């Protein structure tokens, strides 16, 4: 069952695990950068309370969205790159 849609061999499983790890690490980094950029001024400077609270809430809202968007985009790209262009057909040089 090594055909399209069949079972994965060990190398394919390892590649998927590496890609999942990369997606999680890069998404964590991206979310942290966005949170720091948005909420950082509220944490570092003495801003009016309404502005500081607003920046913190925006940061806490946007960071998880960035995290999920990054994970999904990396994993979708990985899956798209692994699928054959024409299922059921072989390439001309095989």
């Amino acid at each position: 069952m090594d055909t399209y849609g069949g079972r994965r061999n060990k190398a394919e499983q390892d590649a998927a695990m590496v890609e999942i790890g990369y997606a999680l690490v890069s998404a964590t980094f991206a979310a942290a950068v966005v949170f720091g950029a948005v909420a950082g001024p509220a944490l570092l400077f003495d801003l009016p309370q309404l502005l500081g609270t607003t920046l913190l809430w925006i940061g806490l809202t946007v960071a998880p969205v960035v995290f999920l968007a990054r994970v999904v985009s990396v994993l979708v790209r990985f899956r798209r790159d692994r699928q054959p262009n024409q299922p059921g057909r072989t390439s001309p040089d095989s």
Side-chain angles (χ1 to χ4, degrees):
M1 289 181 80
D2 290 331
T3 61
Y4 177 74
R7 291 186 178 192
R8 294 181 178 168
N9 61 24
K10 183 65 174 159
E12 291 170 332
Q13 290 175 351
D14 291 345
M17 289 299 295
V18 167
E19 199 67 22
I20 291 168
Y22 169 73
L24 292 174
V25 170
S26 67
T28 301
F29 180 74
V33 168
V34 168
F35 178 79
V38 174
L43 299 172
L44 293 175
F45 303 115
D46 188 25
L47 299 176
Q49 185 165 353
L50 179 62
L51 180 60
T53 304
T54 303
L55 287 175
L56 283 173
W57 277 108
I58 291 172
L60 287 172
T61 303
V62 173
V65 171
V66 169
F67 179 86
L68 288 175
R70 178 65 181 162
V71 168
V72 168
S73 69
V74 169
L75 295 180
V76 165
R77 186 179 63 229
F78 174 70
R79 184 171 183 203
R80 185 177 358 121
D81 290 346
R82 299 211 12 92
Q83 291 179 350
N85 292 335
Q86 298 174 337
R89 296 185 181 180
T90 59
S91 61
D93 52 343
S94 63

